[in-house]
Amino acid sequence: MNKVEFTPKSNSQENVLSFYKEPPHQDIEISLLGKYANERLQVLREIEGAKLQGLKPTSKEVMKVITKHLPIRSQATKKEVEKDQISHFILRLAFSQTEESRRWFLSNETSLFKCRWAMLSSNERQNFLKRINFAHKFFKIKNEKLREELEGFVDLENNRFCKVPFEDVPDMVATKRVFVSEGFAYVCESNVISILGKMFNNHLMDSLSLSSKFLPQIWQDKRMKKLLEVLKDSYSQSELASSYFSTSKVNLKDLVWLSARSFPPCMERLHTSLKQQHHLRHWGRMQYGLFLKGIGLSLEDSLIFWKNEFTKKMNTKTFDTEYGYNIRHNYGKEGKCTNYTPYSCSKIINLSSSPSEYHGCIFRTVKHESLALKLETVGQDQPERVQKILQLSQNKHFQIACQQYWLLRHPKETTGEPISTLTGTIHPNSYYNNSIEYYKRIQEQSKNKKNAQNQTNQK
Amino acid sequence: MSEEQTKKKLRGNETTKNQITTTNETFSDLPLDTMLKLYYQHIFPVKEMYDWLSIDDFLTKRNYFSRREFAFDTLKFRRHLSYSSPKDLQNQLIQNHPFKIHVGPLYNTIPRDKHLVSVFTPVERELVFDIDLTDYDPVRTCCEGAKICTKCWTLMTVAIKVLDFILRRSFGFQHLLWVYSGRRGVHCWVCDTRARRLSEKSRAALASFINIEVTKSGWVDLRHPMNPVIKKVYNEILVDYFEDLVVDQDFFGDQDQNKRSFLNKFSNNVLVLIRNSELRDRIQQRWTSQNEEKSRWHILKEELEYEQQNSKKKSNFYNRNDNYTKILQVIIFTTIYPRLDIGVSKKLNHLLKSPFSVHTGTENKKICIPINPKECDDFDPTEPKCVPTLIGVVNDLNNSKKNQNLNYNSTNLKKYVDMFVNDFLKPLRLQLEKEHKERILSRKKNIMDIENF
């Protein structure tokens, strides 16, 4: 029997919106479990895509997807409730393992929650607040002094407010959208989602760290282990992480022209900085070193490459003791022998860096003026695209800026968009792979042209 | 070194040295290291610092002091230092005589033993702010960089007033320690329990609330409708101080020798804010006219107010975009609203210079003394006698009478240590005692509830 057992307990809800405090208690077929999980994943990816594009998660496209896979209605069917609960909890397990996956899950689940709130009617919202025993009371502001202060800032006549500690609504406080006095924020009823969103976020954050503790127990069941692994690797629109590894090898001598031609701008910068400074600091070495592994640089060649550069400023012995070990570690030859995967864009973007370091995403860390200069040199003939890239960087759409940069550098691209505009570049190695494919195609095309010409000449 | 020995060293050979004068020159030839050692041994108020940083160790056994991070700037920079007692701290200070001391957060375990645990993380930290006059370089006309003077120090006074107001009134904090950072800025330490326990997200939100971004154009980004807190700050603090500062800083370049006026420094000058070209020309004309006796600021206000009155009578379509009070607000906020470094306030593990640390970067070596926010109008660090210096206090020590104890009481620093204790430490301790009693009461109540259940 392909079933996974939960301890039985009843679970009824009026509508589907939930804080997911109680895990579901029923039996379910494992294939259905996977199906539910994938559907929810699709919704979360859709939300991520919308956010990357700068759309609010409450946009029409996202709402359509939510309604299709995870509908929210006041009289939801038992099945819909079950699907929502089960899919959340299984994904919570799958994504509790690493810091990065937790962050992704947390961010998109919170957006999903907010989006679903937006779809509720006023009555449904009241019911939800009642159900969770929402601690704060709503009131009309009667105090004269307070009314005078708030005059012109909020609509005092048509709104009720609640008083919450300012820590509960950090987003509203940060943007000065809320009046704060004596440590309390006066939140308008229509903005109660800010409070709920933060509550949801806090609860899920705590739950994720708890969930990770259950993982070893759950991994005992091989079916669960496999399911969780597949789910974990498949988030963020990516194919399985292992597909980023290039099947072809790369030669040491090719690195120079490859870096100028096919590397994503972040790696190109690291390469240039390494050549100039004959050194890179920790994150720079990690980001670039793992990338090189991904494009097919062997361990031996990698050691030669780094040694060559570093020993221009230090002696061989220092290199061997301090850096050699770590390179071998990255290839899984030392310590616990983990085969580290090259960093994805989201990881790279979130790396913190200081001015003397060269890692991270250039669209985020490099100053506007320097970025503009660089773009203008490589994209002299495409000024609109250059402007577009600068605009996207400023608006913090780094990955889409990178995708546009790819198009800038590969101008003869005719097969469409190998990197989707919806999500932008998601992995430096996929940028590289796409570039290699592009040049292969160009070669093919020119070969075909030559053959065709020869044929006509022969005639 | 015993007290007697120190006195002898300071006084030198009694028979050859005359009564030593109180000028600073006498001891400026003592090496810095020696002066620092003397400072840490006798003057630096280590017991008072312990009383502050140990929080409620006097009531509970939470080991706040041992879990506190310190950092010393000596020839190297060392952080994650910690001490078990005030004596321990003092001994290390004397031994290492750092030229700068930093105070970091409270960790989950003793920082010195961080390698013994699997998780080493900050758990509590005062909410801190750092304001530096160099951030005002785009608007200051009298000085720039590390240089400061009485005129631009007023900008700090405004910053203290604004921040103090918002932190107390809006966020309900009561235990604020304002410290002169030694050269050109101030630090604020918010020490309420609630502040210490704020998450990084809350700190970031709070700092963003107070902060007003200066855009690339050089003008601030003011949101309308204005948050009532910011509006209050404007009406009750900024408007009045601006009247003084507009003269001192000559923002509008009334004195035409002042090429560095705010007006001239900006590629988009003030008049660009006004879209009504007729009005703009009128103001420009009056500004350049020889017959005007009023200041440019006065003229600007006059013309804008007049236009505001008129626009109520005329049809609105022409002037709909120009809200004349908004223009005045933008000018005032851009020039004198506090310029924060919000990065300092966001992180839990940020190190900040300790109060009563010495600023060894300057010749005078001023001491980082507390400032009373209620009296900050009278505080002017550019006044020669205003801030105690390292040389000065070492000198004071030397001049102290033979039978007196060698400590800060015989120096210029006494007034500031007393301020620290009376205005800040004592109320904080009272509050901590109160919180402790409440905790005990609620625990008793919980136990009774369980027993009665």
Side-chain angles (χ1 to χ4, degrees), chain A residues 145 149-154 164-167 169-184 198 201 368-369 394, chain B residues 168-173 194 198-199 201-202 204-213 216 223 225-232 337:
Chain A
K145 236 181 146 190
E149 268 198 272
L150 292 173
E151 187 71 54
F153 185 64
V154 289
V164 300
F166 75 88
E167 294 95 325
V169 282
D171 295 331
M172 293 196 80
V173 170
T175 49
K176 300 199 229 309
R177 281 183 297 143
V178 71
F179 175 62
V180 188
S181 173
E182 308 286 328
F184 289 96
K198 182 80 170 91
N201 193 294
H368 187 88
E369 293 82 21
Q394 266 191 313
Chain B
R168 284 182 205 271
R169 302 268 227 106
S170 293
F171 293 97
F173 296 125
R194 185 180 184 182
L198 286 173
S199 67
K201 182 118 206 234
S202 300
L206 200 157
S208 293
F209 181 86
I210 301 178
N211 194 41
I212 295 186
E213 282 279 310
K216 262 207 264 321
R223 195 161 304 192
M226 207 185 276
N227 189 295
V229 175
I230 307 293
K231 201 172 183 194
K232 205 158 197 181
Y337 187 82

Side-chain angles (χ1 to χ4, degrees), chain B residues 127-144:
Chain B
L127 174 63
V128 293
F129 293 91
D130 183 350
I131 313 176
D132 195 316
L133 262 176
T134 42
D135 292 334
Y136 290 78
D137 282 357
V139 304
R140 289 199 283 172
T141 57
C142 50
C143 308
E144 101 187 322

